Amino acid sequence: MRQVSFYTARTRVLAAASRASGAGAGAYRSVAAAAHSRLLSSAISRTNAVSSPNPATLNTRFARCYSTEPKDESGEAKEEPASPSVESEPKAEDNRPKEAAVGPSEKHEFKAETKKLLHIVAHSLYSQREVFVRELISNASDALEKLRHLQVTNADAGTDAPMEIRIDADAEKKTLAFSDSGIGMSEDELKENLGTIARSGSKAYIEKMEGSAGKSKDAANSIVGQFGVGFYSAFMVGDDITVYTRSAAPGSQGFCWKSDGLGSYTISKAENVPVGTKIVIGVRDDAKEFLSEETLKETIKKYSNFVGFPISVNGEKVNTVEALWTKDKSEISEEEHKNFYRFVSHSWDDPMYHLVYKADGPISIRSILYTPTKNPEAMGFEHKKPGVSLYSRKVLIMANAKGILPNWLRFVQGVVDSEDLPLNLSRELLQNGPVIARLKSIITSRIIKWLQEESRKDADKYSEFFRAFSIYIKEGVCQDLENQKETAKLLRFETSASEAGKLIALGEYVDRMPSDQKYIYYFCAPKRQVAEESPYYEPFKKHGTEVLFLHHSLDEFVMGRLSEFQGKRLVSVESEEAGQEIKAWNAKDGDAESSADGSAGALTKEQADELTSWMLAALGTKAKTVKVSDRYMTYPAIVTDFDSPAVRNMMKMMAANGDGPELPQRPCVVEINTSDPIVKNLFLLKSSDEELARKVSHQLFDNALIAAGILDDPRTMLKRLNDIIAVAVAADKN
């Protein structure tokens, strides 16, 4: 009968102990502990002086395994100060014989590669040399994941060593070593996986596992690989690479693989090689910064901070942040959300909203997303980079990824992880293929839906969010036409029917529209008081029609780009269309008078025609036409059919930047109120003092431009205004 090894038996005992729970846990663990004692005594009696493990060390290992304190993935207690017996373990490992090649070596040519191809891999494939750290860590993570799966089906496979990734930098020897206690490689696997560039052992492993059922497919999905030539990225910093490896299969031989990257490699047997893989890089002088512990730690935190195995640099653990997006949302506390948000956003405020989103079809997505409390661009800082980073199986593919979300969502912070990413030779060279486009579409739609849900949960909180981030949402309405209809539901505005400061959605406006109202009316004004006192709002106030008050300079462009909402056209109260509706209201209400008091003191039709003709000639090219207004208003005159303030401001900025000449004001339609005393007196004044009447006409026109917000420079009217005041003062004195 085959004798079971001590470590195999120990593993089974520990598995039994770990399953113990509830009221019988203590008794179960006691039985397991007794079994452990017998195994320990037997193991010590069988070992000789050279290979016997330290009994205190073994006892310490088992004590930690039986402990109820929290443990990391390797089984080690978290944040627990090491006891003297624990400290002896690395010393014993350091004192063991080093790996060494023995016997003759066999030279092999790379199967399908040339010196030129190796040069491309080492110098041109990656845009940043630091990614070699990420590639080698990812390979090590793959190897550990493979071993974890193998141990489920074969208890004899593997080693007693903790499942971890170790990086050791030796500045004196100019070497950098990456070690893992993973599945290792046999001689044939060395030739197959390292002897051919662009062959991925992980990819082949996944394909094999996907042919099986059940847990095998799940294990395959956790492999980081499918990236091909990552191992050869080490030649970006090293002139030569030595690999020591031993397969986890029982009775495997250790091997040593060497290459200088010039088209060939050698393989020889090696002794003192533990199960796993160790890659030793002879670092070039121009890459000696990677022998610095701090550089290595920063690189690991940047790219591999969420790898599911402990990573240490010269004995110090580096990856200490948990990949929250892999957890169920119900398992994540608010404190964890706050800390993780601060980690990914590099800021110190708290997140206002958070979303944990997972999907398996049509593509695999694991994500965690946040919205900040404060707008980082509010103080006029530079345009913010995208806040979402792209990962594949917890390995960073691209920080601040531009292609995952539309630009208007750059304020969103977080992580998107997908194992279905289309990657070519490098993780960072993403292809803009259908999978990326689909990923962008899914995540964008989910974020918009998420914000809509938050707005329904707490309208006041969402209003606070909108005030801080409205510029982004308005930018989305203008630029992201694919999602424009849904994004428009996130807009919020003040309205004439609500108190000052209260924001409503466009949907709320539509819900309370009278059945006979054709349009959604809006008015762009710098503040509410200006809007409420404007002649353009007066007829709507009289008629009882609700008007949206838009106070941001971008709002006019937003309305123009959106044009309609839920089948209702968006119409400015200053437009000709609004004027036609006002005329229809007057006709329906039997209100033939346009005067404020409804009196019959207006100019006659003949007088009005005479005055409008004279004013058109007096104003010259400034006016397209002058007519009697159909609007209800208390002002003497208004202008319609004019370039909006936003358009005028844009034209002025372009002229100031030298992008074109400053164009003159487009001729406007002038509408006069023939019941206003100023207009009636102007009719008389043109016959008695035509020069003064001309000045009054131009002043009325400029006043109308001010009311419309389109007078370019009010200083141009000062002399004329002073002349009119002088006449008025003299007349009053007389």
Side-chain angles (χ1 to χ4, degrees):
M1 186 169 107
R2 182 174 61 88
Q3 185 175 8
V4 178
S5 70
F6 164 73
Y7 290 117
T8 300
R10 189 210 68 163
T11 301
R12 294 173 181 173
V13 170
L14 293 183
S18 66
R19 290 192 296 268
S21 61
Y28 204 158
R29 289 197 176 103
S30 297
V31 173
H36 143 251
S37 298
R38 291 194 297 273
L39 286 168
L40 181 61
S41 299
S42 175
I44 294 174
S45 65
R46 289 198 304 268
T47 55
N48 54 42
V50 175
S51 61
S52 64
N54 187 329
T57 299
L58 292 174
N59 275 321
T60 301
R61 290 179 180 175
F62 276 83
R64 287 199 301 271
C65 293
Y66 286 121
S67 171
T68 58
E69 296 177 359
K71 299 178 176 63
D72 60 22
E73 292 185 345
S74 65
E76 300 293 331
K78 293 182 178 178
E79 303 297 328
E80 180 68 19
S83 64
S85 58
V86 175
E87 291 179 353
S88 66
E89 289 186 69
K91 292 180 181 178
E93 185 175 331
D94 291 341
N95 292 332
R96 76 176 185 199
K98 297 296 183 182
E99 303 90 347
V102 294
S105 61
E106 297 180 4
K107 185 175 181 180
H108 302 268
E109 295 294 325
F110 289 113
K111 292 181 180 179
E113 294 71 27
T114 64
K115 295 180 181 180
K116 181 178 180 180
L117 182 55
L118 283 169
H119 181 81
I120 291 174
V121 170
H123 298 89
S124 304
L125 184 63
Y126 298 91
S127 59
Q128 295 176 313
R129 292 198 301 180
E130 64 185 13
V131 298
F132 85 93
V133 177
R134 178 191 69 187
E135 298 296 322
L136 297 184
I137 288 176
S138 297
N139 290 344
S141 176
D142 291 351
L144 289 164
E145 196 63 55
K146 293 175 186 177
L147 178 61
R148 176 183 287 174
H149 170 74
L150 183 61
Q151 288 176 332
V152 173
T153 57
N154 184 355
D156 288 338
T159 173
D160 183 50
M163 302 188 78
E164 63 183 5
I165 301 168
R166 302 179 306 280
I167 302 175
D168 296 290
D170 190 328
E172 292 184 3
K173 295 181 180 179
K174 296 182 181 180
T175 59
L176 184 60
F178 290 74
S179 305
D180 67 73
S181 52
I183 198 168
M185 288 178 282
S186 65
E187 182 177 10
D188 289 340
E189 289 169 334
L190 269 175
K191 295 176 183 177
E192 192 172 11
N193 294 335
L194 302 190
T196 305
I197 292 181
R199 176 180 179 84
S200 171
S202 294
K203 183 176 181 180
Y205 183 79
I206 289 177
E207 291 172 351
K208 178 182 177 182
M209 289 299 101
E210 286 180 341
S212 304
K215 291 186 293 183
S216 295
K217 187 172 183 179
D218 294 335
N221 288 337
S222 65
I223 301 297
V224 178
Q226 302 189 63
F227 303 118
V229 300
F231 167 77
Y232 287 90
S233 63
F235 280 109
M236 292 191 295
V237 297
D239 288 323
D240 60 85
I241 298 177
T242 301
V243 178
Y244 296 100
T245 186
R246 181 157 70 93
S247 172
S252 295
Q253 168 70 50
F255 290 94
C256 175
W257 182 100
K258 291 185 178 182
S259 177
D260 57 7
L262 297 178
S264 65
Y265 62 92
T266 62
I267 295 179
S268 60
K269 293 181 179 180
E271 60 183 5
N272 305 320
V273 179
V275 170
T277 301
K278 180 177 183 179
I279 301 171
V280 182
I281 305 171
V283 179
R284 299 198 305 262
D285 289 338
D286 64 351
K288 61 183 179 181
E289 68 269 20
F290 294 106
L291 295 173
S292 164
E293 287 188 18
E294 290 305 315
T295 299
L296 290 170
K297 290 175 183 177
E298 288 301 317
T299 304
I300 293 168
K301 289 178 180 179
K302 178 179 179 180
Y303 291 105
S304 307
N305 210 33
F306 304 111
V307 168
F309 299 97
I311 305 172
S312 62
V313 174
N314 288 355
E316 182 179 349
K317 186 177 179 181
V318 179
N319 58 331
T320 57
V321 181
E322 186 176 8
L324 287 191
W325 65 88
T326 62
K327 299 175 65 175
D328 189 89
K329 62 181 179 181
S330 61
E331 299 174 353
I332 306 174
S333 68
E334 288 299 319
E335 186 67 19
E336 287 178 310
H337 273 303
K338 181 174 72 173
N339 292 335
F340 190 78
Y341 161 75
R342 290 179 175 180
F343 174 80
V344 297
S345 66
H346 307 289
S347 61
W348 290 100
D349 63 332
D350 294 337
M352 181 171 287
Y353 298 126
H354 54 73
L355 171 69
V356 178
Y357 173 60
K358 298 181 181 181
D360 293 316
I363 59 177
S364 171
I365 299 173
R366 301 290 183 270
S367 63
I368 186 166
L369 302 168
Y370 300 94
T371 64
T373 302
K374 299 178 180 179
N375 178 5
E377 297 180 7
M379 302 302 293
F381 297 136
E382 63 181 14
H383 202 64
K384 182 175 174 55
K385 294 180 180 179
V388 174
S389 295
L390 183 62
Y391 284 73
S392 178
R393 300 176 184 88
K394 298 188 285 188
V395 176
L396 179 66
I397 304 303
M398 181 182 293
N400 308 115
K402 292 183 178 180
I404 301 305
L405 293 177
N407 188 54
W408 68 274
L409 285 173
R410 60 188 178 276
F411 66 91
V412 177
Q413 304 288 322
V415 167
V416 172
D417 191 319
S418 176
E419 62 190 37
D420 296 323
L421 292 175
L423 302 167
N424 55 19
L425 296 179
S426 168
R427 285 180 173 88
E428 60 201 348
L429 301 177
L430 292 177
Q431 300 170 348
N432 293 320
V435 176
I436 291 294
R438 186 60 177 156
L439 180 64
K440 178 179 180 179
S441 176
I442 293 172
I443 295 295
T444 301
S445 297
R446 186 62 186 92
I447 291 175
I448 295 172
K449 182 181 178 182
W450 162 41
L451 294 177
Q452 291 174 354
E453 292 168 350
E454 295 292 352
S455 70
R456 290 191 290 268
K457 289 179 185 177
D458 189 334
D460 291 339
K461 182 179 179 181
Y462 180 78
S463 293
E464 180 185 350
F465 163 80
F466 183 80
R467 287 188 177 93
F469 297 95
S470 61
I471 187 67
Y472 300 94
I473 295 172
K474 293 171 183 178
E475 182 181 329
V477 172
C478 292
Q479 296 181 353
D480 188 1
L481 300 183
E482 181 181 351
N483 299 290
Q484 187 184 69
K485 289 185 178 180
E486 292 301 313
T487 306
K489 296 177 182 179
L490 300 175
L491 293 169
R492 296 293 185 273
F493 300 107
E494 283 193 45
T495 170
S496 60
S498 303
E499 63 269 21
K502 181 176 176 58
L503 304 180
I504 71 161
L506 292 176
E508 293 179 66
Y509 181 101
V510 173
D511 290 342
R512 58 199 193 199
M513 283 173 57
S515 58
D516 60 345
Q517 183 175 328
K518 295 170 59 177
Y519 305 126
I520 299 174
Y521 295 104
Y522 67 89
F523 185 23
C524 296
K527 54 185 179 181
R528 187 183 183 95
Q529 182 181 358
V530 173
E532 290 177 332
E533 295 178 357
S534 170
Y536 298 100
Y537 172 63
E538 279 187 321
F540 293 88
K541 182 179 180 180
K542 179 176 183 293
H543 190 260
T545 300
E546 186 175 11
V547 176
L548 297 171
F549 290 155
L550 282 54
H551 303 316
H552 195 278
S553 58
L554 188 62
D555 290 340
E556 192 165 0
F557 290 110
V558 173
M559 296 295 106
R561 292 291 286 176
L562 186 58
S563 72
E564 68 173 26
F565 182 82
Q566 294 183 358
K568 299 289 185 178
R569 285 192 59 199
L570 295 157
V571 171
S572 170
V573 298
E574 303 163 319
S575 66
E576 284 288 336
E577 291 171 301
Q580 292 300 319
E581 282 298 294
I582 294 171
K583 186 176 182 179
W585 295 342
N586 293 338
K588 183 177 180 181
D589 296 339
D591 184 7
E593 299 289 346
S594 60
S595 63
D597 56 5
S599 66
L603 296 175
T604 65
K605 184 179 185 305
E606 292 76 12
Q607 290 173 327
D609 290 344
E610 182 182 341
L611 179 60
T612 54
S613 297
W614 179 85
M615 286 185 66
L616 180 61
L619 294 174
T621 58
K622 292 182 179 180
K624 185 191 314 184
T625 186
V626 180
K627 67 178 184 178
V628 177
S629 180
D630 295 315
R631 296 170 180 260
Y632 169 88
M633 61 179 177
T634 59
Y635 285 70
I638 62 170
V639 291
T640 59
D641 190 23
F642 52 83
D643 290 330
S644 68
V647 171
R648 288 298 302 166
N649 289 335
M650 183 178 65
M651 293 167 61
K652 289 167 67 176
M653 286 191 298
M654 291 176 62
N657 293 332
D659 296 331
E662 184 173 352
L663 300 178
Q665 181 75 254
R666 186 165 65 89
C668 307
V669 174
V670 180
E671 297 185 11
I672 61 172
N673 177 8
T674 57
S675 297
D676 187 86
I678 296 177
V679 174
K680 290 190 291 184
N681 287 326
L682 178 62
F683 174 76
L684 301 174
L685 184 63
K686 70 180 179 62
S687 300
S688 61
D689 190 343
E690 187 171 7
E691 181 62 27
L692 179 59
R694 288 181 182 276
K695 291 181 179 179
V696 172
S697 296
H698 282 276
Q699 191 61 48
L700 287 177
F701 179 77
D702 283 352
N703 290 351
L705 294 183
I706 292 175
I710 58 173
L711 183 62
D712 290 337
D713 189 352
R715 293 173 296 184
T716 58
M717 69 179 186
L718 288 179
K719 185 179 185 304
R720 181 201 321 126
L721 183 59
N722 288 333
D723 291 343
I724 296 173
I725 293 174
V727 173
V729 170
D732 185 64
K733 182 178 180 181
N734 293 333

